[in-house]
Amino acid sequence: MFWTSLAFAATYAVPGDYATLADVAEVAQHGDLIQLGQGEHAGAHFDVEVEIIGQDAVVSSTLSTTSALWVEGVDFQSGSPCLSVVGGSLLLVDSTVKGCKHEEGGGLYAKSSVIELAEVRFEGNEATRGGAISVDDSALRIETSVLSGNRAVYGSAGAIFAHGSEVFLLDVEVTGNEAYNSGGALLQSGGGLSIEGSLFQGNSSVYGVATTAFTGGSATLVDTRFVGEHGYNGGAVSLDLDGGEAWVQGCEFEDGRTTYGTGGALHIADASLAVVHLSRFEGNRAYNGGGALRVDAVDELLLEQLVFEDNATTYGKGGAIHVKASVVQLVEVELSDGSSHDGGGLLYLHAGEAALSQVLLAHGRSTYGGGGLAELAASSLFVERSVFQDGQAQGAGGLLASCQQGRLLNNDFVGNAGAGAELRCELELLNNLFASNSASSVLPASADYSLFFEDHTPSTGAGDLSADPLFLSWPDDLHLHPSSPAVDAGHPDTLDPDGSVADMGAYWVDQAEPEDTGDSGWTDDSGVDDSADPSDDTAIDDSDVHLRGGCGCGVGGPMAGLLLPLLLFPLMLVRRR
């Protein structure tokens, strides 16, 4: 709270002591209390600090200040605008602002001011810019409030417009707002933006960019849901940061749409650092690349512990994710059921340095172009403990990659319609598993210590195997049975986290001595009893065996893997906060 408690100099009743607010304004002194009675009242201008407490009171024209106002329990209606603060401060509590109209900020206009709103409802207000609220060179804090059904009739920012301001939203519902141009819910240029624990739903931009659009500065989105947001040239959120930083954590993006343009859910551009963590993207659609997430011109990008499901782009690349950045790292990311037009059915990545660890890509399709699941282009490319399953494309059904150097270690390429991998670069390939792909993979050199089963790729590398890998349950669970020939069959200088020689493929069988828990049989992370060897009908005594998985990302299951040290990737350690 910016407000300090007042020692009231005098108390006035309206009506009673004075007939109107304007009458009180002529005599009011710093710290006076005004008790506003039942009924409709005209607004007034105050140039001293006062508090107004209403009791079933309605203010039907503009209430303004160039000092400080504390207002509680008042309904504002039909003003132009309802509230105006210039060079002052406003604390508005337990009030409504409804049906107000103005060119700038239908409900509230503020310039060079400090504004705090708590338990306030803005509904049905209209403006050319900032249907509900417009702030310029100000600080705006909104808590536990609702902004609904506000409109920017022939302009931008259906609910909130901010310029050169610091904006913080906590536990705010922003629903059903509309702008003719950009920012159906919010449009901000400059300053800083922080949104936490809020809901954005059903907002739309008829033309222009996303429903929540921010340019310049830095932005933070935490524990917030964006549902059914629709923009003309960008979906739910667009962050164009002019060298600032973006932090997105614990958010959900559902059913975002862009009529034209990119990034159905989230578009991040021109950032020095962007981190997206512990978030979910589902059912989003873009017209031209990045069905859910689009990233452009970012120096460092970290995508960690994310789920992408059923995202698509009509044209372009990257059904779920489209990235152009200098340094990119994906860790524990699950992508499934997506499609694109020109390549990278789930993931398109263009970077200087790229590292993927414990990434699941499953059920992706590219109508034209290669990389039914992923198309990766980087100077340095490192991929470990990842799964490329059930992709479809005219070229490589699984992975299409081009690079100058890199390494693929302990990955699964399985069940793809087309080649499991087409690698247009010099890579070191170790401990990978190729199974049931319908076309031969295109590899730059021998894939050493790798397993090939019902795959058209010849096994010519050192230590290669041609054998059934004995998955626990093809195609739903790609964990290996302890009797799999892939166990301990990797390169002898590579180790699994339990200290044994590495297994082939993305998942490893933990051979460490288990704790005595008193139960028999061995289970994977899902708790399923798998005590029978899938290669025969003979039960085995396996009380000393416990299955653990590399990335824990069998198709349809949650990411449940270990956070392996990214020893492969010394080139990039994105700083954490």
Side-chain angles (χ1 to χ4, degrees):
M1 294 276 186
F2 66 85
W3 200 278
T4 57
S5 60
L6 298 176
F8 300 121
T11 300
Y12 302 104
V14 177
D17 298 321
Y18 290 91
T20 67
L21 283 171
D23 294 337
V24 180
E26 292 181 0
V27 299
Q29 301 295 313
H30 177 84
D32 286 350
L33 169 64
I34 301 169
Q35 297 176 336
L36 197 60
Q38 184 176 2
E40 184 174 325
H41 305 269
H45 175 77
F46 289 86
D47 56 10
V48 294
E49 180 178 332
V50 297
E51 178 180 359
I52 301 173
I53 297 180
Q55 183 176 2
D56 295 326
V58 176
V59 174
S60 57
S61 58
T62 302
L63 178 67
S64 63
T65 186
T66 50
S67 181
L69 277 177
W70 182 344
V71 182
E72 182 176 351
V74 176
D75 293 338
F76 294 87
Q77 298 179 9
S78 306
S80 182
C82 282
L83 292 153
S84 176
V85 185
V86 177
S89 57
L90 170 68
L91 173 61
L92 182 63
V93 180
D94 190 24
S95 298
T96 63
V97 182
K98 184 176 181 180
C100 306
K101 297 182 180 181
H102 191 246
E103 182 177 351
E104 187 92 2
L108 166 64
Y109 172 77
K111 182 176 177 63
S112 303
S113 298
V114 177
I115 308 297
E116 185 163 355
L117 313 173
E119 298 181 2
V120 178
R121 186 178 187 93
F122 284 78
E123 184 175 358
N125 302 286
E126 293 184 2
T128 302
R129 186 167 67 177
I133 299 169
S134 177
V135 295
D136 185 4
D137 189 29
S138 298
L140 173 64
R141 181 184 180 95
I142 308 177
E143 295 186 22
T144 322
S145 296
V146 175
L147 295 92
S148 180
N150 304 284
R151 298 174 63 212
V153 182
Y154 290 108
S156 300
I160 302 172
F161 173 75
H163 175 263
S165 301
E166 297 296 322
V167 177
F168 177 71
L169 277 62
L170 175 64
D171 189 23
V172 178
E173 293 184 12
V174 185
T175 62
N177 302 283
E178 180 183 301
Y180 184 78
N181 289 319
S182 299
L186 179 149
L187 176 64
Q188 180 175 352
S189 71
L193 173 65
S194 180
I195 301 174
E196 183 175 346
S198 296
L199 170 67
F200 286 66
Q201 184 168 7
N203 303 288
S204 62
S205 299
V206 180
Y207 297 100
V209 298
T211 57
T212 296
F214 175 80
T215 59
S218 294
T220 302
L221 311 176
V222 178
D223 297 335
T224 294
R225 294 183 66 206
F226 298 87
V227 182
E229 301 286 274
H230 183 192
Y232 182 79
N233 190 18
V237 179
S238 175
L239 306 176
D240 192 345
L241 301 177
D242 193 23
E245 297 182 353
W247 299 84
V248 180
Q249 178 171 315
C251 293
E252 296 181 17
F253 298 85
E254 304 171 26
D255 299 323
R257 295 290 188 274
T258 170
T259 307
Y260 294 99
T262 62
L266 174 62
H267 185 190
I268 302 173
D270 196 16
S272 59
L273 173 66
V275 177
V276 185
H277 178 61
L278 283 171
S279 296
R280 183 178 183 89
F281 299 76
E282 183 174 355
N284 302 285
R285 298 291 185 269
Y287 183 78
N288 191 21
L293 173 63
R294 175 73 179 247
V295 177
D296 289 303
V298 170
D299 294 337
E300 294 182 80
L301 174 67
L302 172 62
L303 305 178
E304 184 176 29
Q305 293 182 290
L306 306 175
V307 175
F308 293 80
E309 184 177 352
D310 185 27
N311 302 284
T313 180
T314 306
Y315 294 100
K317 299 176 182 288
I321 302 174
H322 182 125
V323 169
K324 291 183 179 180
S326 298
V327 179
V328 181
Q329 186 172 354
L330 280 73
V331 182
E332 285 196 290
V333 177
E334 182 176 342
L335 304 100
S336 63
D337 300 300
S339 64
S340 72
H341 186 266
D342 298 328
L346 295 171
L347 170 64
Y348 172 77
L349 187 154
H350 188 283
E353 301 171 353
L356 285 68
S357 178
Q358 304 177 74
V359 176
L360 164 69
L361 302 103
H363 313 310
R365 181 173 61 88
S366 172
T367 306
Y368 298 99
L373 297 172
E375 181 178 340
L376 311 179
S379 296
S380 298
L381 177 63
F382 296 85
V383 184
E384 71 157 4
R385 300 284 182 187
S386 295
V387 175
F388 299 82
Q389 182 177 6
D390 192 24
Q392 180 179 346
Q394 288 189 352
L399 169 64
L400 173 63
S402 59
C403 62
Q404 296 178 8
Q405 62 177 353
R407 191 182 200 192
L408 269 63
L409 176 70
N410 285 100
N411 302 290
D412 286 344
F413 300 89
V414 294
N416 296 289
E422 182 178 335
L423 308 178
R424 302 171 179 174
C425 47
E426 289 301 321
L427 284 169
E428 182 181 20
L429 289 89
L430 293 175
N431 308 344
N432 297 291
L433 193 156
F434 297 82
S436 300
N437 302 295
S438 67
S440 175
S441 290
V442 179
L443 308 178
S446 298
D448 294 336
Y449 293 90
S450 294
L451 185 147
F452 298 86
F453 176 68
E454 295 182 348
D455 192 90
H456 295 268
T457 309
S459 55
T460 59
D464 284 352
L465 298 177
S466 295
D468 186 340
L470 298 183
F471 296 126
L472 286 182
S473 178
W474 169 260
D476 298 322
D477 189 345
L478 303 184
H479 287 80
L480 301 173
H481 192 276
S483 63
S484 167
V487 174
D488 292 343
H491 192 284
D493 293 336
T494 59
L495 302 177
D496 284 332
D498 62 4
S500 64
V501 174
D503 304 338
M504 293 176 175
Y507 301 92
W508 55 280
V509 177
D510 190 354
Q511 301 176 65
E513 190 70 24
E515 296 181 7
D516 185 5
T517 60
D519 58 350
S520 62
W522 52 277
T523 61
D524 63 14
D525 291 328
S526 65
V528 177
D529 184 0
D530 297 292
S531 56
D533 186 334
S535 63
D536 58 41
D537 297 327
T538 305
I540 59 173
D541 181 6
D542 43 26
S543 59
D544 292 331
V545 181
H546 188 83
L547 183 65
R548 307 286 287 277
C551 65
C553 43
V555 176
M559 299 291 286
L562 302 177
L563 283 172
L564 301 179
L566 299 181
L567 299 179
L568 290 176
F569 315 135
L571 70 159
M572 46 178 295
L573 290 175
V574 177
R575 64 185 183 276
R576 307 292 182 89
R577 283 187 171 180

